[in-house]
Amino acid sequence: ERLWEIRRHGIDPRAEQARAVERQRQAEEAANRETAHRLSVRALFDRWAATELKPHIRADGSRTGRKDGGEYLRQQFDKRVFPEVGEFAAGEIRKADLLAILDRAKADGKLRTANVLLAGLKQMFRFALAREIVERNPLDTVTKRDAGGAETGRERVLSADEITQLSQPQALTPLSVRSAAAIWIILATGCRVGELMNARWENIDLDQSRWYLPDTKNGRDHTIHLSAFALEHFASLAGTRERGNDGKLLPWLIPNSKGTGPVDIRSFGKQLADRQRPPEKRLKGRSKATSSLSLPGGRWTAHDLRRTAATVMAQLGVSGDVIDECLNHVIESRIRRTYIRDRRPTEQARAFDALGAKLTALVAPNKSQSGTASSYASQR
């Protein structure tokens, strides 16, 4: 009957049907936009994390997303963002709402946290803008200067005397065997702290003096030659292996106290920080040996050990390109990265052995330290 009415008035029924379909489509799009605009900040984060932060392997074999799947950022949002605006509609969030969160982090002295939150929020709202969940990114004009301020790179390197001091019994005794070994392994291998905390015994071959890292920060696998010094401390960890409830040996090099996974990176960082405090600033329930790891050059972190390893190698005459390979740095030049595939394993092994020999001499100062640098040069 409707079609008859359309024909009687000289209207093309197919054109009318197409217009009706288009009106329906526009109505659905409007409804979808309205629904999207009402999406909460918490739900937006979940969608963003699942799409952009979760690790994925591209068709070319490269990795995208974050290694931890955005877990660290989620913890920061759980603590500072969601309690304030988590249930607010993402499309209604104002710049002032988010700046208030950043200001509170800044007021707490958490400047780096403020910058981490700023970067995460900007990326999340950029994701939302591209999908028409919001009509604008409220933080588009906000910079680090408005949050935690510009960050300067740390330059802390442990001196030879400090490494010797670190080897004294009073420095490391308050630490567990595993944590003490971790310090020396990072110094001996230049590995990232996260790589060590997540290491598994299946990737470590003590007989071949080799540690294979299949998954690293830059998405490039890496093999570390283990010097005699490094092997000594890996062996000390082997002596602490425990079995899980199923009776099988735990697979992690440094498992957590429950044996359910590797120890948390932040837990190791706190152990170091808690032992570099004045006694009056001891935190409740933390180590009483508040200054056992304090060194003359000031506060140091696990990452400073990695920087120290690279510096010692340079002092021994190891070339910068070999040091980059030892630390698994990505080659900056795209052309060199594309055409130069040699990872220099032989030269890496010599560099790690020279580093290990130097560390051995420093932790045993009564032994002769002569010939450490020249031994590297003579092998080249």
Side-chain angles (χ1 to χ4, degrees):
E1 185 175 332
R2 173 64 177 159
L3 291 177
W4 182 84
E5 286 290 328
I6 291 174
R7 290 194 185 97
R8 190 164 69 85
H9 289 86
I11 300 174
D12 183 349
R14 286 175 297 185
E16 177 65 17
Q17 186 175 20
R19 284 192 288 270
V21 170
E22 177 62 18
R23 286 194 295 272
Q24 177 66 23
R25 185 188 68 79
Q26 292 178 357
E28 289 177 354
E29 283 189 353
N32 289 338
R33 283 196 297 272
E34 181 63 24
T35 300
H37 287 166
R38 292 199 299 269
L39 190 71
S40 71
V41 170
R42 189 188 298 272
L44 171 60
F45 181 93
D46 289 339
R47 180 173 170 183
W48 173 54
T51 306
E52 299 290 334
L53 303 186
K54 183 180 178 181
H56 297 285
I57 303 298
R58 296 190 181 98
D60 62 0
S62 61
R63 189 183 70 192
T64 184
R66 303 192 183 188
K67 187 175 179 180
D68 69 346
E71 184 57 31
Y72 173 73
L73 194 58
R74 181 183 294 278
Q75 291 170 356
Q76 299 304 315
F77 272 53
D78 279 339
K79 184 176 180 179
R80 295 185 177 273
V81 177
F82 296 152
E84 303 294 333
V85 298
E87 306 312 317
F88 285 27
E92 297 175 1
I93 292 294
R94 302 174 305 141
K95 180 195 298 185
D97 299 324
L98 302 177
L99 283 177
I101 294 171
L102 300 178
D103 287 344
R104 276 189 282 276
K106 188 175 181 179
D108 290 342
K110 304 293 185 180
L111 303 185
R112 184 177 181 279
T113 298
N115 285 340
V116 168
L117 290 173
L118 172 62
L121 286 164
K122 291 183 76 168
Q123 291 172 29
M124 183 180 74
F125 277 101
R126 193 178 303 128
F127 169 88
L129 181 63
R131 289 155 181 78
E132 297 186 337
I133 296 172
V134 299
E135 295 180 356
R136 58 183 177 78
N137 186 336
L139 292 173
D140 258 348
T141 60
V142 179
T143 67
K144 283 185 177 180
R145 183 174 58 185
D146 304 303
E151 297 179 30
T152 57
R154 283 182 61 82
E155 299 179 352
R156 179 76 165 95
V157 172
L158 274 63
S159 68
D161 288 341
E162 287 180 318
I163 294 174
T164 299
Q165 180 178 330
L166 197 60
S167 69
Q168 302 306 308
Q170 64 269 24
L172 297 181
T173 299
L175 282 172
S176 69
V177 172
R178 288 171 177 162
S179 295
I183 290 174
W184 296 119
I185 288 173
I186 297 174
L187 270 174
T189 64
C191 68
R192 298 178 177 89
V193 62
E195 293 167 348
L196 178 58
M197 294 301 120
N198 288 286
R200 300 172 68 95
W201 283 108
E202 65 198 58
N203 294 319
I204 297 165
D205 188 336
L206 298 182
D207 292 331
Q208 296 297 319
S209 304
R210 189 167 54 220
W211 173 19
Y212 176 62
L213 290 81
D215 188 21
T216 66
K217 181 180 179 180
N218 59 30
R220 188 174 76 154
D221 67 341
H222 184 43
T223 299
I224 295 177
H225 167 76
L226 301 179
S227 65
F229 182 88
L231 282 171
E232 176 186 346
H233 295 287
F234 271 96
S236 71
L237 287 177
T240 69
R241 290 193 72 177
E242 300 174 1
R243 296 183 182 274
N245 294 331
D246 58 0
K248 296 180 180 179
L249 287 169
L250 296 176
W252 306 284
L253 197 70
I254 306 179
N256 61 31
S257 59
K258 296 180 180 179
T260 56
V263 73
D264 188 270
I265 296 173
R266 288 164 298 172
S267 174
F268 180 63
K270 288 176 182 177
Q271 290 182 55
L272 301 184
D274 287 344
R275 291 160 177 79
Q276 298 180 68
R277 303 178 186 277
E280 64 273 15
K281 291 190 176 181
R282 176 187 171 234
L283 299 180
K284 185 178 180 180
R286 301 285 184 84
S287 173
K288 295 180 179 179
T290 55
S291 59
S292 60
L293 294 180
S294 296
L295 297 173
R299 180 178 174 273
W300 56 276
T301 67
H303 192 75
D304 295 333
L305 299 175
R306 173 174 161 87
R307 186 182 301 106
T308 299
T311 301
V312 173
M313 283 184 179
Q315 293 169 346
L316 294 173
V318 182
S319 63
D321 56 338
V322 173
I323 294 174
D324 282 339
E325 290 294 352
C326 288
L327 270 60
N328 197 27
H329 284 158
V330 174
I331 300 173
E332 292 185 6
S333 167
R334 183 177 62 83
I335 294 177
R336 286 183 61 213
R337 190 166 63 245
T338 300
Y339 290 100
I340 301 178
R341 296 294 184 176
D342 183 10
R343 302 286 290 271
R344 318 278 286 280
T346 301
E347 289 173 273
Q348 282 193 58
R350 291 173 182 164
F352 281 124
D353 281 339
L355 173 61
K358 180 65 176 179
L359 292 172
T360 298
L362 290 175
V363 303
N366 56 310
K367 296 181 180 180
S368 173
Q369 296 186 26
S370 63
T372 306
S374 61
S375 65
Y376 174 78
S378 66
Q379 298 176 65
R380 298 177 64 183

